[in-house]
Amino acid sequence: TCLCSDILSFYKEEMKGDVDNYVHARARITGKAVVETLHDIVDETAAAATRVRNTLGEGREREAWNSFEQGFIRFHMRDPRYRLGDVLGTPGEYLVLGL
């Protein structure tokens, strides 16, 4: 969830010129471009989520995880503070995708 927060907060932080965050710090340390670093973090987060799903298997625990995961992302997408509507369009457009 920490890396997911960093990903979902990235756009609003970039728009504010905030470079005091994990993505920028990691880019500085690794010597990579900020966008490349963001892509790496997205890939790592997706892989971690897949590992969690595989570990949980099927059943109530997996259903609970799926519900948490979807709610966590939905919260960020709907909260105007994160400005994700700037990137993704109106909530109706991307929530149709099942998020």
Side-chain angles (χ1 to χ4, degrees), residues 21-99:
N21 56 49
Y22 177 72
V23 177
H24 280 270
R26 182 166 159 174
R28 284 190 299 273
I29 290 168
T30 61
K32 292 184 175 182
V34 172
V35 173
E36 182 181 6
T37 301
L38 179 63
H39 284 256
D40 290 346
I41 295 168
V42 168
D43 291 344
E44 292 165 14
T45 302
T50 298
R51 286 192 303 274
V52 169
R53 287 186 210 103
N54 290 340
T55 299
L56 292 175
E58 299 299 324
R60 289 184 358 192
E61 293 83 1
R62 171 72 175 269
E63 290 170 16
W65 169 258
N66 288 344
S67 179
F68 166 76
E69 185 180 50
Q70 290 171 7
F72 184 85
I73 294 170
R74 186 179 293 120
F75 165 79
H76 286 81
M77 293 182 127
R78 288 183 172 167
D79 189 333
R81 173 177 173 238
Y82 293 92
R83 301 180 57 183
L84 293 172
D86 295 359
V87 178
L88 301 170
T90 61
E93 291 178 43
Y94 52 81
L95 292 178
V96 166
L97 301 175
L99 296 176

